[in-house]
Amino acid sequence: MKIAVITPLFSRSSELMNELTFHFPDVKNNADNRLKTKKDIIAFLQDMDGAIVGREEIDDEILSACPKLTILSRYGVGLDNLDLDTMKKRGVKLGWSGGTNSNSVAEITLSLMLSLIRNLHIATTLLKQHVWKVNGGSELTGKTIGLFGFGNIAKRVIELLAPFHCTILVFNRTQNEAEAQKYGITFASKERILEEADIISIHLPLTSESKNLFSTAEFKAMKKSAFIINTARGGIIDEEALKVALKGGEIAGAGLEAFLVEPTQDWELIDLPNLVCTPHLGGNSKESILAMGYSCIEHLKAHFTH
């Protein structure tokens, strides 16, 4: 079986590549991240029986040009980049396990909460500019946290927040009261969370419903002292509206892990002092890289040995 590894993170891991080639000797990788266009991806996947893919967009045009493909093993947790309907029509199986990087993303979420509310981001920037300004912000303990989404990552965030004794409000399409009791949370409306939360954290997939879920009206409805964090997908926050809100003091600050266009080049947004930002590294701890990679390999093994 011929296997292609599109995602550079997997390709650069000698441990994962050794494990993969032990089971599938005929493997080609994308360690130098050379696949920049759809044409590149098609050329890379042609004649392949299976592939390990990351955030690359895989649509009908690509799948139709690669008829030998029988499985896409997803390195990561989001599925919005894969045309699942076309995959089903063409008989291309999906190898995917949810939650493989949930702890990694949850830890980044917690670090962004602490950085924002304790003013670490601004204090660090000022001190590097040789400005000594003491402003320790507020404590996270006892604050009201609003979570949008209630999947594996959100649940792990709740667990990590336990020592801080926060009030946690959750907005989710489905509401399971037994789980609410288990996690000690309260399901709430979007309006209530916007009004009451000291920190809002987004853990939703990007869909037609969630696109620009947070825009001008939402920022105006939040407390001026509140923060918003997105470690999910770019496009859920309207970045233009966020710039206005951060510049005008409509909210106190934001933490962004995901951007509408990646890599982002919106330096007007990035340079704002009340924004903490990272290049979508939340799910890329050493531990989660291996967990996601081994999961991909197991899906390929299961597919080709049955």
Side-chain angles (χ1 to χ4, degrees):
M1 296 297 170
K2 295 181 178 180
I3 306 297
V5 184
I6 299 181
T7 172
L9 279 174
F10 188 111
S11 300
R12 293 169 188 157
S13 169
S14 58
E15 181 174 339
L16 292 176
M17 288 301 298
N18 288 340
E19 179 70 14
L20 179 62
T21 53
F22 175 80
H23 298 284
F24 303 94
D26 194 349
V27 174
K28 64 177 180 178
N29 66 61
N30 181 34
D32 58 359
N33 196 18
R34 64 188 180 277
L35 306 181
K36 303 298 184 183
T37 67
K38 187 179 293 188
K39 183 178 178 180
D40 294 334
I41 293 174
I42 289 174
F44 193 74
L45 290 179
Q46 278 184 336
D47 297 324
M48 293 293 112
D49 299 293
I52 295 176
V53 301
R55 297 180 191 145
E56 300 79 17
E57 295 284 339
I58 306 295
D59 59 14
D60 183 56
E61 182 181 349
I62 292 174
L63 293 173
S64 64
C66 304
K68 290 185 67 179
L69 271 179
T70 60
I71 182 171
L72 295 178
S73 198
R74 173 68 168 99
Y75 180 82
V77 294
L79 299 175
D80 48 286
N81 59 311
L82 303 180
D83 188 336
L84 299 178
D85 291 336
T86 296
M87 287 175 61
K88 187 174 181 180
K89 290 176 185 175
R90 295 187 176 277
V92 180
K93 300 295 183 182
L94 171 66
W96 175 78
S97 297
T100 50
N101 68 353
S102 57
N103 189 69
S104 181
V105 178
E107 286 189 358
I108 285 290
T109 302
L110 179 61
S111 70
L112 289 173
M113 289 182 179
L114 287 166
S115 180
L116 287 164
I117 202 163
R118 292 306 310 271
N119 201 46
L120 300 181
H121 58 306
I122 293 177
T124 297
T125 300
L126 288 174
L127 192 53
K128 283 179 175 291
Q129 296 170 353
H130 305 172
V131 176
W132 185 280
K133 184 176 181 180
V134 179
N135 176 0
S138 301
E139 294 181 3
L140 180 59
T141 300
K143 295 299 187 291
T144 297
I145 309 298
L147 300 181
F148 281 74
F150 195 49
N152 292 312
I153 295 170
K155 289 172 182 175
R156 183 62 182 141
V157 169
I158 293 166
E159 292 172 348
L160 293 179
L161 283 171
F164 296 93
H165 306 291
C166 295
T167 297
I168 300 179
L169 306 177
V170 175
F171 176 85
N172 199 53
R173 186 163 48 183
T174 59
Q175 300 184 1
N176 183 317
E177 287 305 324
E179 283 210 295
Q181 290 187 10
K182 175 183 176 182
Y183 285 94
I185 60 97
T186 300
F187 287 112
S189 66
K190 177 183 178 182
E191 291 72 23
R192 179 183 174 187
I193 294 176
L194 292 173
E195 182 180 341
E196 297 183 14
D198 297 297
I199 300 175
I200 289 174
S201 188
I202 301 168
H203 304 283
L204 296 168
L206 178 62
T207 65
S208 57
E209 292 180 14
S210 65
K211 185 173 178 59
N212 289 336
L213 183 65
F214 292 88
S215 192
T216 303
E218 287 72 24
F219 296 134
K220 289 184 180 296
M222 291 170 62
K223 297 179 180 179
K224 288 186 178 296
S225 59
F227 303 94
I228 189 166
I229 292 169
N230 183 14
T231 56
R233 285 290 183 268
I236 299 175
I237 290 180
D238 179 342
E239 293 177 8
E240 292 301 316
L242 178 61
K243 280 190 280 191
V244 173
L246 291 174
K247 288 178 179 179
E250 292 175 7
I251 60 174
L256 292 186
E257 244 276 286
F259 298 85
L260 181 61
V261 176
E262 296 182 353
T264 183
Q265 294 190 9
D266 188 348
W267 308 126
E268 182 186 8
L269 174 62
I270 298 302
D271 289 342
L272 291 174
N274 50 352
L275 175 75
V276 181
C277 46
T278 57
H280 213 145
L281 52 74
N284 292 330
S285 66
K286 292 178 181 178
E287 293 83 357
S288 71
I289 285 172
L290 293 178
M292 291 186 294
Y294 278 110
S295 174
C296 286
I297 295 169
E298 289 303 313
H299 285 295
L300 292 175
K301 287 166 58 181
H303 176 71
F304 287 115
T305 57
H306 288 96

